[in-house]
Amino acid sequence: MSMKRREWIKSAALIGGSLSMSSALRGMPTAAPLGTALPSDSSHGYVNLSINENQWGPSPKAREAMVKAVSYAYEYPAVPHRKLREEIAVHEGVDPSQVLIGAGSSDLLKASSYVYGLQGGSLVAAEPTFNDLLRWAEPNGTEVIRIPWNDEFSPDLNKISSSLRSDTRLVYVCNPENPAGTLCDTSELKDFCMETAKSCPVFVDEAYIDFAGEADKLTMMGLVREGLPIIVSRTFSKAHGLGGMRVGYAVTTPEIAEKLKLAYVHGVVCGASHVSIEGARVAYADRQWLTHVRTETAKVRADFEGFLDNIGQPFIPSYTTFVLMPVNTDSKVIADTLFNMTKVRISPRLIHGQNYLRISLGSPAQMRKLKSGLELVLAAT
Ligand SMILES: Cc1ncc(COP(=O)(O)O)c(C=O)c1O
């Protein structure tokens, strides 16, 4: 191929690439200017109230930090990674060696199920619950013992305790629980963790803790500080509105942290990017935005629960950013009908033979759209 022809092909490819890129960008919704609150519809052209995204988005300060960090995207993320670990360690009163960062807390769930499943054995958790840790455990050869919720739609801590076996390597508790939205009594959960920790570590997933009240009063982080074998995970995806940036963390004892690093060595977790971590660092410090998101979410939650009361629709009172409600007909049909009518996506569930809908809380405008459609669909089914 002559030099000229090769150059032509290269520049045509570049032009083609930039053309298709700019036409793709033309189809995208315009980003809200920095410094303003988001809420808008998703970038996919429908309202997604099925996967618990935070519709208020990241703090304007975090967005600004991410834009700045893009210029340094050529740098590996080691320095921001270390700084975030130090900042979390200061806030939680632990040593930085006790903080692990992942690309979302899913990374830490995956790492834990991998490391604790290396020798087989069993893992105990509520049924249903958030599935990430469990779904990685089973293909690894770990037996998952699933204990149905108690009558209050919460993890049945007594039954979980009595189901522990000599080969149980890890217990997983999601608090607040997903998909129920319930919160364990703090002192009961503390007693449970202290007792269980005598035989195996407990993984406490606190993804939604900021929406349940004062996180510092509800968290199990204190037990980590006391040196108990507890792993507490948190995420920047929920209260901090950074689901797409993939940053989460776990705080645990130095011994367990060391053990979980095996998963990094074995390449099971991949770590968060430079830009993501710079956004997370600023989001972590921005308590004002966190308060704003928590307050607005609580308002939307109270309004939605009031609406459900008014239309006579039972639901499980929520401590989170979603509400679970039993329905009498096929929940998938309800969700699909609602989507076709309104372009609002919600999550159908089948739990112990009962149909449920799990609906994430969105902005007031999104909830108006949801409520008018849901009322019609529920009345017709
Ligand atoms: C209870 C719970 N834990 C963890 C996660 C994982 O979140 P991420 O990987 O975005 O941190 C989710 C996501 O929906 C969740 O609901």
Side-chain angles (χ1 to χ4, degrees):
M1 206 191 293
S2 75
M3 187 64 191
K4 262 202 167 131
R5 191 164 136 73
R6 247 184 288 151
E7 287 304 307
W8 183 85
I9 290 173
K10 218 159 97 187
S11 53
L14 280 175
I15 292 165
S18 67
L19 276 182
S20 59
M21 178 83 92
S22 61
S23 48
L25 285 177
R26 268 201 299 278
M28 294 280 284
T30 319
L34 291 175
T36 63
L38 278 178
S40 64
D41 283 356
S42 74
S43 60
H44 335 298
Y46 62 89
V47 176
N48 195 352
L49 300 182
S50 72
I51 50 172
N52 305 337
E53 291 166 338
N54 169 352
Q55 306 290 342
W56 277 267
S59 99
K61 288 180 189 160
R63 282 193 277 150
E64 209 171 321
M66 289 186 283
V67 170
K68 256 194 215 152
V70 166
S71 304
Y72 299 96
Y74 61 92
E75 294 176 351
Y76 284 114
V79 174
H81 187 276
R82 175 178 52 75
K83 287 183 181 163
L84 179 61
R85 284 173 69 210
E86 284 168 1
E87 284 151 5
I88 293 168
V90 167
H91 184 82
E92 298 300 348
V94 296
D95 189 81
S97 66
Q98 296 176 251
V99 181
L100 298 169
I101 310 284
S105 57
S106 305
D107 248 6
L108 286 325
L109 291 160
K110 204 195 303 179
S112 304
S113 82
Y114 172 73
V115 167
Y116 284 95
L118 279 177
Q119 274 98 38
S122 64
L123 188 157
V124 187
E127 164 64 23
T129 190
F130 185 67
N131 212 28
D132 263 26
L133 193 143
L134 315 183
R135 85 189 153 98
W136 290 108
E138 272 165 340
N140 258 345
T142 315
E143 185 185 343
V144 178
I145 301 170
R146 296 168 194 267
I147 308 299
W149 288 337
N150 62 21
D151 292 342
E152 285 153 4
F153 303 92
S154 277
D156 193 329
L157 299 179
N158 291 332
K159 287 215 178 101
I160 291 179
S161 285
S162 57
S163 308
L164 300 185
R165 301 192 316 214
S166 57
D167 73 348
T168 301
R169 312 244 183 261
L170 187 67
V171 170
Y172 172 71
V173 178
C174 184
N175 189 53
E177 178 65 287
N178 181 5
T182 49
L183 181 73
C184 289
D185 177 86
T186 307
S187 67
E188 275 174 30
L189 181 58
K190 225 172 238 175
D191 290 348
F192 166 85
C193 288
M194 288 166 75
E195 198 48 41
T196 308
K198 290 177 187 162
S199 55
C200 72
V202 185
F203 191 115
V204 187
D205 181 338
E206 298 186 346
Y208 299 95
I209 200 100
D210 285 303
F211 299 103
E214 292 305 322
D216 290 347
K217 296 198 179 115
L218 304 170
T219 180
M220 295 295 121
M221 290 280 187
L223 297 180
V224 177
R225 282 192 288 275
E226 286 173 29
L228 268 71
I230 309 289
I231 306 162
V232 177
S233 71
R234 296 277 184 85
T235 180
F236 284 93
S237 302
K238 307 299 175 185
H240 299 288
L242 286 166
M245 299 310 291
R246 314 306 302 125
V247 192
Y249 60 96
V251 180
T252 188
T253 60
E255 299 74 31
I256 294 180
E258 206 47 49
K259 209 171 151 131
L260 291 180
K261 278 186 201 149
L262 248 189
Y264 288 81
V265 176
H266 291 188
V268 174
V269 297
C270 50
S273 77
H274 182 126
V275 175
S276 307
I277 296 184
E278 287 301 8
R281 289 184 59 218
V282 172
Y284 194 64
D286 192 348
R287 308 312 279 185
Q288 206 182 347
W289 184 257
L290 182 65
T291 305
H292 167 70
V293 168
R294 291 176 58 212
T295 310
E296 293 308 308
T297 303
K299 277 191 217 160
V300 169
R301 189 167 61 196
D303 175 80
F304 186 51
E305 292 185 343
F307 159 82
L308 293 172
D309 267 336
N310 284 342
I311 63 166
Q313 169 59 46
F315 61 92
I316 299 163
S318 170
Y319 288 83
T320 60
T321 59
F322 53 86
V323 178
L324 187 71
M325 61 195 74
V327 286
N328 292 328
T329 42
D330 188 335
S331 51
K332 188 161 174 354
V333 172
I334 299 180
D336 287 346
T337 311
L338 181 78
F339 183 73
N340 291 337
M341 235 170 79
T342 61
K343 291 282 170 287
V344 176
R345 173 68 70 206
I346 60 173
S347 176
R349 300 286 168 123
L350 188 65
I351 302 172
H352 306 310
Q354 166 70 51
N355 279 286
Y356 287 89
L357 298 171
R358 195 200 64 184
I359 301 183
S360 313
L361 302 170
S363 68
Q366 293 171 333
M367 295 307 281
R368 276 194 292 279
K369 206 166 174 180
L370 164 83
K371 285 186 288 186
S372 55
L374 189 65
E375 188 168 8
L376 288 175
V377 177
L378 288 176
T381 51

